[in-house]
C-alpha cells in the first residue's frame, strides 16, 4: 500500500542519466531502463525528503488530470523494479 504521506528515495546504487527522450536508469542489480520525460520529472523529485503527495503537487501543472494517481503508480512500479524505496 502506498500513501501520499510516504517518502520515497532512490535506492543505493541507482544512477540515471538525462537524455533527450527522458533518462536512462542504471543499477548493478537490474537491466537498464529508459523513462520518458514525464517519468524523468517524477524521478528528479524523488529526493528522500518530499512525500509522494508533495511530488504530485509539484507536478500538478504538467497536464495530468489525476497527477496523484500517476505519481503513485510510477512510485509503485519503481519499488517493484527495486529502483526506489520508501523511508
Amino acid at each position: 500500500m502506498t500513501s501520499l504521506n510516504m517518502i520515497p528515495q532512490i535506492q543505493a546504487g541507482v544512477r540515471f542519466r538525462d537524455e533527450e527522450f527522458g533518462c536512462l536508469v542504471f543499477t548493478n542489480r537490474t537491466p537498464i531502463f529508459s523513462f520518458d520525460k514525464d517519468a524523468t520529472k517524477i524521478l528528479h523529485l524523488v529526493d528522500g525528503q518530499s512525500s509522494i503527495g508533495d511530488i504530485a503537487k509539484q507536478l500538478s501543472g504538467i497536464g495530468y488530470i489525476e497527477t496523484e494517481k500517476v505519481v503513485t503508480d510510477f512510485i509503485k512500479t519503481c519499488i517493484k523494479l527495486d529502483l526506489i524505496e520508501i523511508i
Side-chain angles (χ1 to χ4, degrees), residues 5-76:
N5 295 326
M6 293 180 167
I7 298 175
Q9 76 174 10
I10 305 293
Q11 288 270 24
V14 174
R15 303 170 317 282
F16 56 94
R17 182 178 73 208
D18 290 331
E19 298 287 343
E20 190 171 315
F21 59 84
C23 73
L24 293 173
V25 180
F26 307 88
T27 77
N28 54 1
R29 301 178 303 276
T30 60
I32 296 173
F33 297 100
S34 64
F35 291 152
D36 66 14
K37 290 181 181 183
D38 291 336
T40 300
K41 289 176 186 178
I42 298 170
L43 194 61
H44 277 286
L45 294 173
V46 175
D47 59 9
Q49 296 178 2
S50 301
S51 70
I52 294 171
D54 294 335
I55 293 168
K57 286 178 191 170
Q58 291 180 58
L59 294 172
S60 61
I62 64 172
Y64 287 117
I65 295 171
E66 299 179 23
T67 306
E68 289 177 353
K69 180 177 178 356
V70 171
V71 171
T72 301
D73 289 349
F74 177 77
I75 297 293
K76 284 180 183 178

